[in-house]
Amino acid sequence: EAGVTQSPTHLIKTRGQQATLRCSPISGHTSVYWYQQALGLGLQFLLWYDEGEERNRGNFPPRFSGRQFPNYSSELNVNALELEDSALYLCASSRPLTLTGELFFGEGSRLTVL
Amino acid sequence: QKEVEQNSGPLSVPEGAIASLNCTYSDRGSQSFFWYRQYSGKSPELIMFIYSNGDKEDGRFTAQLNKASQYVSLLIRDSQPSDSATYLCAPRGDYKLSFGAGTTVTVRA
């Protein structure tokens, strides 16, 4: 069974540009989560999508947005990039609501803003 | 108050010793609790979850949960060099799974 896949692995952008990151969940998983992990910091919750709807978002400005497609894949868009957006962006998926609700992570997309 | 607080690291233990990791959380609605391990440069992987008060053991790992005190811990017995990693505590509420900043464990051979 394929795990969570993310693309691109690495992305280099300049300030003011837009970045789009993509995520494909594990087959059968309907929820997709996005986290930001800046160097040396913990995982900061960005967005949660379930069944195509945004269920919750973290304390990030509106220029961080995303969507979930009918096949449950997802993309994260970051507009008007700033230097501090440089981080590892992790996508995770989970099964439909279960007792445990554990997340399975992809390998991440490293965004560098110059 | 941060949503999830973990004991500050790094934590250095000799091989064969017990590593004790602690975590407190603020959301009383949290229903299940996870410990993830993250090796340097890798994504987090689930190693333990617990949703009932008390202890849960899985091999060399024991998770302990006290919902009244909003406290969850992880013990790593007979620590091995391969246990050297950052351990992330993650309580799950209704709407998200929050992560602590993590405790970095180094096991000395």
Side-chain angles (χ1 to χ4, degrees), chain A residues 2-57:
Chain A
V4 177
T5 58
Q6 292 187 243
S7 64
T9 306
H10 293 89
L11 187 61
I12 299 175
K13 293 285 187 177
T14 57
R15 286 178 58 190
Q17 287 188 312
Q18 178 196 35
T20 298
L21 310 177
R22 296 179 176 82
C23 172
S24 292
I26 293 172
S27 178
H29 287 193
T30 60
S31 281
V32 170
Y33 301 76
W34 288 95
Y35 288 86
Q36 181 196 66
Q37 188 173 37
L39 192 63
L41 298 179
L43 277 72
Q44 302 298 314
F45 170 71
L46 269 166
L47 291 159
W48 172 23
Y49 292 96
D50 182 63
E51 294 287 353
E53 299 288 330
E54 182 181 298
R55 300 298 183 185
N56 198 14
R57 67 179 290 129

Side-chain angles (χ1 to χ4, degrees), chain B residues 57-98:
Chain B
E57 187 174 316
D58 184 0
R60 296 185 294 108
F61 297 94
T62 299
Q64 300 172 316
L65 173 61
N66 183 326
K67 290 186 180 180
S69 299
Q70 296 175 243
Y71 173 92
V72 59
S73 67
L74 180 71
L75 299 177
I76 307 174
R77 294 184 304 280
D78 187 24
S79 294
Q80 301 296 308
S82 60
D83 295 326
S84 297
T86 297
Y87 291 81
L88 304 166
C89 168
R92 181 170 185 135
D94 284 338
Y95 302 107
K96 65 179 179 182
L97 191 151
S98 303

Side-chain angles (χ1 to χ4, degrees), chain B:
Chain B
Q1 181 190 8
K2 292 183 180 178
E3 291 183 67
V4 185
E5 300 216 37
Q6 297 188 236
N7 51 329
S8 59
L11 180 64
S12 180
V13 298
E15 185 173 356
I18 295 175
S20 177
L21 308 173
N22 302 315
C23 172
T24 57
Y25 58 94
S26 61
D27 182 2
R28 287 195 169 273
S30 296
Q31 298 136 14
S32 50
F33 304 84
F34 304 89
W35 283 98
Y36 282 81
R37 177 177 61 199
Q38 187 174 25
Y39 291 115
S40 181
K42 298 292 185 181
S43 58
E45 58 180 341
L46 180 69
I47 56 170
M48 286 283 285
F49 71 85
I50 185 168
Y51 52 88
S52 300
N53 278 327
D55 295 357
K56 179 181 179 182
E57 187 174 316
D58 184 0
R60 296 185 294 108
F61 297 94
T62 299
Q64 300 172 316
L65 173 61
N66 183 326
K67 290 186 180 180
S69 299
Q70 296 175 243
Y71 173 92
V72 59
S73 67
L74 180 71
L75 299 177
I76 307 174
R77 294 184 304 280
D78 187 24
S79 294
Q80 301 296 308
S82 60
D83 295 326
S84 297
T86 297
Y87 291 81
L88 304 166
C89 168
R92 181 170 185 135
D94 284 338
Y95 302 107
K96 65 179 179 182
L97 191 151
S98 303
F99 284 85
T103 301
T104 299
V105 174
T106 300
V107 180
R108 310 188 303 271

